[in-house]
Amino acid sequence: MSKHIVLIRHGESEGQQHRGKARRYPNLLDSYLTKNGEKQARVIPSFLSDLDIAADFDLICTSPLTRAVATCVLGFGHLHKQVPMICHPDLAEVGGGSTQEDQARPLKKVMRDLTRRYRNNPVAVSATIAIDFSLLPSDWPSNGGGSLASPPSFMEWLQTRQEKRIAVICHRNVILQKLLGPGVVARVPNCIPISCQLNEERDDSGSNVRLELTNASHFDVWRAAESEVEVKYFANEECIELWRS
């Protein structure tokens, strides 16, 4: 049974503005989005339209890290009354907190910070509260001996869901290493949707679930691009300015 999956890297984060040792600054712990990252998140519906990707999702999934949750509610918050939004711990960035922004915080702190930040945006507040975080271990993010049994990997879990059109908001390395695998795409720009098909294949060794690009021609162009100007293949001029500004 195939499913249409749209992978989306979070909007530009505060951590992305730093390089090298600067990314270890304590104030970047589970960092939020930059102003530009907020703009990128808000125009995700336009990016989807420009790529001829239908936005009729019946499930939206997000990483538990702040920058992904923020991208989720800013880009898809208007759907929260019609579409379930679920957080899966396996979508957290790969690397185990090698930089401050990849170190998760307790859910209560994330919720408190986002609802305060969006106090003048009632849709974003409602969407943040509506996200189902029940898959997170009880002691998240410590994952110590007192935690409940971990949920299945995201791909295994996704296979069991009945929904057919799913948006997944997560991180660069999760997309490159866990979901698509090395070499499938060369770059993962912030908030540019990657349209995929989840297919299940069976052979003598059992079942194999994998994602395949459905807009591969776009990414062939992206691989060859030498400049961010090539994002014109993905978005209209208005979105280009928001993405690059």
Side-chain angles (χ1 to χ4, degrees), residues 29-42:
L29 177 67
D30 189 24
S31 63
Y32 183 66
L33 304 175
T34 63
K35 293 296 184 183
N36 188 51
E38 289 183 332
K39 292 178 182 178
Q40 292 168 344
R42 291 190 181 102

Side-chain angles (χ1 to χ4, degrees), residues 84-114:
M85 296 181 172
I86 300 178
C87 176
H88 198 291
D90 195 39
L91 292 175
E93 180 62 300
V94 174
S98 58
T99 63
Q100 287 293 316
E101 71 170 348
D102 293 340
Q103 295 186 25
R105 295 181 298 158
L107 177 58
K108 287 184 179 180
K109 290 187 176 181
V110 174
M111 296 288 286
R112 180 195 63 200
D113 289 354
L114 290 181

Side-chain angles (χ1 to χ4, degrees), residues 51-110:
L51 285 174
D52 295 323
I53 299 173
D56 55 341
F57 299 112
D58 49 13
L59 176 63
I60 297 170
C61 302
T62 182
S63 154
L65 297 183
T66 296
R67 59 193 185 275
V69 176
T71 300
C72 177
V73 301
L74 292 177
F76 297 103
H78 60 289
L79 300 176
H80 78 274
K81 292 183 179 180
Q82 296 83 36
V83 180
M85 296 181 172
I86 300 178
C87 176
H88 198 291
D90 195 39
L91 292 175
E93 180 62 300
V94 174
S98 58
T99 63
Q100 287 293 316
E101 71 170 348
D102 293 340
Q103 295 186 25
R105 295 181 298 158
L107 177 58
K108 287 184 179 180
K109 290 187 176 181
V110 174

Side-chain angles (χ1 to χ4, degrees), residues 42 73-74 114-115 117-128:
R42 291 190 181 102
V73 301
L74 292 177
L114 290 181
T115 52
R117 187 180 292 271
Y118 299 141
R119 58 185 177 275
N120 295 322
N121 184 342
V123 172
V125 170
S126 296
T128 302

